[in-house]
Amino acid sequence: MRARFGGLLFLALAATLPLWLRDPYFVAILTSTGIFIIAAISLNLLLGFTGQLSLGHAAFFGIGAYTSALLSLGFDVDIGLPSPVVVDPKPVWIAFFGAVVVSGLFGWLIGKLAFRVRGAYFVIVTISFAEVMRMVALNWVDLTEGPMALNNIPPLSVLWPGHGLTALVTKSQQYWLVLAVGVVCYFLVARMVRSRLGRALIALRENEPLARSVGVRVTHYLVVATVVSAAIAGAAGALYAHCVRIVDPDVFLFIYTVTMVIMVVTGGKGTLAGPVVGGLIFGLMPQALRGTAPPEVQWIIYGIGIILIVFFLPRGIVPAFADLARLRMPALRKPASLVR
Amino acid sequence: MTEVGENGAARNVALDVRDLAVHIGGLVALGGISFQVPFGAIVSLIGPNGAGKTTAFNVITGFMKATDGQVFFRGRDLARLSPERIAALGMVRTFQRTSLFTACTVFENVLTALHLRGRTGLLGALLRLPAMQREEAALHAEAREILDFVGLAGRADEIAGNLAYGEQRLLGLAIALAAKPTLLLLDEPAAGLNPSETESFKQLIRRVRERGATVLLVEHDMQMVMSISDQVLVLNQGRMIAAGSPAEVQRDPEVIRAYLGSGKRAAA
Ligand SMILES: Nc1ncnc2c1ncn2[C@@H]1O[C@H](COP(=O)(O)OP(=O)(O)OP(=O)(O)O)[C@@H](O)[C@H]1O
Ligand SMILES: [Mg+2]
């Protein structure tokens, strides 16, 4: 009940933010943080709820970014067929959902490949996959422009009453777009983990032999989780492409995956609010530190922050505060639920 | 009389195990054992420590690969089927060492274990279709009913890891029952229980059978085995050394020798 009230309050604050915080720079920072939070939410589905560590999650993000950019820009490539493949520019939302589908398909592929043998093998497959994707983006210049990057990606647009089709170009508009997509992704994941499907995922994480003994099909559910996770990461990548409006092979860099992992782990993996809390803290911290200290010192503070959280709150911030709330208010001393 | 089907498998027995062998490295954990479990029976599999009882369970339920031999469940060859497929066919096992979803509540444990009773997939979950909501309500009711059956209804909201040992054993049974087994394999369910807990567990197993399930029981408590079983199978060092009614098995000289020789627990 209180959690729901807190969530609504948070949402109301977030939704009205550009109206009372008239600082376009800060709104832009929140927008890019929001995109990362969506990616972290998708990673959490795998890392937090199935316990599988995808260290190549930036690959799904990058595939989403490139797919949406290419579909909205149109492209022609020669792949050895009699005539080159020509794709005309598609409407932006078709490009966006195309990106979600393509990322999901890659998730399916990686899931099928990697979950035959799990654990460390999955980690290696995902890392390699992201690196291969980066090489493709760098070297398949005909398609991706390589290091020159894809430029002039059109912004997403909405039908605005009275204004017709409106391109989302201002900082505030992009902020609301990311917030809207983020809320949708959050609730999709919430519904998923609070269903029979989510219980199967948690069961596999908690005790795989027991889960199998009562009929939970391991590979099937891990693949489903990977597909959904990859699709949401792809949506985040597509948002990135249409907000930043330029995509280069660096979207596949390992550091982006690491950022997502940090957000999930510090916020609290396996909790719904964890990636949001962790994402806000570690997305905004560099900005908060900006100007207060030289860059090297900022990085050190950033690193120490992570270490302190992981050391003192090994399960993350959200579970720690949930425990605290239970201790302080006896009325709330209900058992921890499967999904917070 | 045993009716034999096309593939040579007995159709009127729940479980038909033929020449089942398991070699682990150089060790012969099971050296080719054969037995049948008739529908509706309580059959016990006993034997000294290391006899191969748990190994037999692991192979029969698909958790381990057999080196040789076959397992038929209701006339169906289980070769190469995964544990989850075998569970879906109606054969469910419990674990010798207590195995729960320890971080979850008792209720969530059973709700999770009701997996096979539900059908909601990704789309149903994401769209929260009415059919899914009805199914959830039905699963909740079923979970409460199962907890009631094993006597844990009052502990539904407790974290499984915080339960007393005896309660954890009951929850282990509840989890297996949630998968609605037609054949239930229990691996030392009474291990570590005090005499009164053992007695009530025994009554519980009887009630499970009354509800229509067939039971294959591994147990060291001879009092329990001899009073509850229709048939007793005795395993020693991977070989079946005796099979018969409790009375027959208790008189068998080789059984007595195996138990006295092992120096562990004496028979009866
Ligand atoms: N995974 C394994 N690796 C190596 N040896 C094993 C393995 N599993 C079982 N064994 C061996 O196989 C033999 C049979 O073991 P099993 O656990 O089936 O015995 P058990 O009859 O269940 O004994 P207990 O009454 O102690 O539970 C033992 O010698 C054991 O050491
Ligand atoms: Mg054993």
Side-chain angles (χ1 to χ4, degrees):
Chain A
M1 218 44 221
R2 277 165 49 96
R4 174 161 294 185
F5 179 73
L8 279 177
L9 191 69
F10 176 81
L11 204 57
L13 278 179
T16 56
L17 186 124
L19 303 177
W20 45 266
L21 194 106
R22 301 190 149 274
D23 177 355
Y25 174 73
F26 189 67
V27 172
I29 297 296
L30 277 175
T31 304
S32 57
T33 300
I35 292 173
F36 262 99
I37 289 177
I38 296 172
I41 286 175
S42 77
L43 178 72
N44 185 39
L45 185 58
L46 272 183
L47 177 58
F49 289 101
T50 73
Q52 298 297 320
L53 177 59
S54 160
L55 276 187
H57 218 61
F60 302 123
F61 182 90
I63 289 171
Y66 266 101
T67 306
S68 201
L70 285 170
L71 285 177
S72 58
L73 289 169
F75 59 91
D76 53 301
V77 282
D78 191 353
I79 51 170
L81 297 176
S83 59
V85 177
V86 181
V87 173
D88 294 326
K90 297 278 179 290
V92 275
W93 283 104
I94 291 187
F96 179 91
F97 286 107
V100 171
V101 170
V102 171
S103 302
L105 284 175
F106 273 96
W108 179 80
L109 190 71
I110 292 298
K112 279 280 179 191
L113 278 179
F115 287 138
R116 298 193 166 273
V117 191
R118 259 162 294 133
Y121 192 75
F122 183 71
V123 177
I124 293 168
V125 168
T126 51
I127 292 181
S128 319
F129 174 58
E131 201 47 31
V132 167
M133 280 299 149
R134 196 170 73 87
M135 288 302 148
V136 170
L138 262 178
N139 295 307
W140 195 357
V141 179
D142 276 355
L143 181 69
T144 65
E145 306 288 335
M148 277 97 73
L150 290 170
N151 294 297
N152 298 323
I153 300 166
L156 286 165
S157 52
V158 287
L159 263 180
W160 200 256
H163 290 78
L165 204 61
T166 314
L168 303 172
V169 283
T170 71
K171 299 269 180 281
S172 307
Q173 286 170 335
Q174 291 186 342
Y175 171 87
W176 277 313
L177 169 71
V178 170
L179 181 66
V181 174
V183 168
V184 169
C185 291
Y186 180 94
F187 281 105
L188 285 182
V189 171
R191 284 190 165 189
M192 186 167 157
V193 300
R194 285 180 177 142
S195 70
R196 169 174 177 268
L197 186 64
R199 288 195 295 267
L201 295 179
I202 294 169
L204 291 172
R205 179 193 72 193
E206 288 292 311
N207 189 338
E208 186 178 314
L210 183 62
R212 302 184 76 186
S213 80
V214 291
V216 179
R217 287 147 66 200
V218 191
T219 330
H220 173 78
Y221 284 104
L222 290 182
V223 169
V224 168
T226 315
V227 168
V228 175
S229 175
I232 294 176
L239 281 179
Y240 173 88
H242 295 286
C243 286
V244 181
R245 321 230 344 234
I246 172 167
V247 175
D248 68 20
D250 281 357
V251 288
F252 292 108
L253 281 179
F254 188 54
I255 183 70
Y256 291 119
T257 300
V258 173
T259 309
M260 295 175 208
V261 172
I262 289 172
M263 289 173 169
V264 171
V265 170
T266 54
K269 60 181 186 333
T271 67
L272 290 169
V276 181
V277 173
L280 281 176
I281 292 176
F282 284 96
L284 299 181
M285 200 200 285
Q287 306 308 322
L289 294 176
R290 183 186 286 258
T292 60
E296 312 80 65
V297 178
Q298 287 178 31
W299 280 109
I300 293 173
I301 297 177
Y302 192 83
I304 291 177
I306 296 168
I307 292 170
L308 285 179
I309 291 179
V310 172
F311 195 79
F312 287 107
L313 311 172
R315 289 191 302 140
I317 297 167
V318 170
F321 274 85
D323 287 352
L324 199 66
R326 255 195 306 282
L327 279 182
R328 304 227 1 205
M329 328 239 170
L332 280 173
R333 211 175 280 163
K334 277 196 64 183
S337 157
L338 210 57
V339 175
R340 265 178 287 266
Chain B
M1 194 57 224
T2 306
E3 174 198 331
V4 174
E6 277 170 46
N7 51 9
R11 288 196 179 283
N12 59 348
V13 293
L15 186 67
D16 185 3
V17 174
R18 305 222 179 144
D19 304 316
L20 194 63
V22 178
H23 299 187
I24 305 170
L27 178 99
V28 180
L30 280 182
I33 61 166
S34 303
F35 64 91
Q36 297 187 337
V37 178
F39 281 114
I42 297 181
V43 174
S44 287
L45 181 62
I46 64 169
N49 293 105
K53 306 179 294 292
T54 299
T55 305
F57 270 24
N58 286 342
V59 179
I60 290 169
T61 53
F63 280 89
M64 261 170 94
K65 292 283 154 262
T67 312
D68 202 5
Q70 290 156 298
V71 178
F72 297 94
F73 174 57
R74 305 168 85 182
R76 181 177 175 150
D77 190 350
L78 298 186
R80 285 184 303 280
L81 291 190
S82 63
E84 49 267 43
R85 282 283 296 134
I86 291 173
L89 291 175
M91 176 154 72
V92 182
R93 57 90 59 92
T94 65
F95 295 83
Q96 181 169 355
R97 295 188 50 194
T98 313
S99 187
L100 310 169
F101 304 114
T102 29
C104 306
T105 67
V106 170
F107 187 75
E108 287 166 344
N109 266 267
V110 179
L111 196 58
T112 304
L114 282 165
H115 185 77
L116 287 171
R117 308 288 292 161
R119 302 184 48 211
T120 299
L122 181 60
L123 217 58
L126 293 184
L127 302 179
R128 199 155 282 180
L129 300 169
M132 177 228 171
Q133 294 180 10
R134 276 196 300 276
E135 180 184 295
E136 277 295 296
L139 291 183
H140 276 68
E142 208 165 338
R144 278 190 292 273
E145 197 266 325
I146 291 170
L147 284 176
D148 215 33
F149 179 76
V150 301
L152 282 177
R155 307 289 271 152
D157 288 335
E158 188 59 74
I159 299 287
N162 294 344
L163 291 181
Y165 178 78
E167 294 173 323
Q168 294 197 353
R169 298 305 286 182
L170 287 171
L171 181 55
L173 176 65
I175 288 171
L177 289 178
K180 284 283 164 335
T182 49
L183 175 59
L184 178 64
L185 278 65
L186 298 169
D187 199 349
E188 300 199 27
L193 298 184
N194 66 35
S196 82
E197 285 171 332
T198 305
E199 182 56 31
S200 54
F201 216 112
K202 194 169 88 184
Q203 298 309 330
L204 204 49
I205 295 174
R206 285 216 171 97
R207 281 165 55 213
V208 168
R209 190 247 304 259
E210 278 160 25
R211 285 177 148 210
T214 305
V215 178
L216 178 59
L217 173 72
V218 164
E219 185 48 62
H220 276 305
D221 186 317
M222 286 308 141
Q223 235 264 288
M224 174 160 166
V225 167
M226 296 307 166
S227 59
I228 203 178
S229 312
D230 300 310
Q231 209 200 340
V232 180
L233 312 164
V234 189
L235 213 54
N236 189 28
Q237 296 179 356
R239 303 206 169 270
M240 193 74 78
I241 57 170
S245 70
E248 285 165 357
V249 164
Q250 270 169 299
R251 283 195 305 268
D252 191 301
E254 199 172 350
V255 174
I256 295 167
R257 209 174 315 124
Y259 268 86
L260 293 180
S262 81
K264 299 263 171 174
R265 303 168 176 105

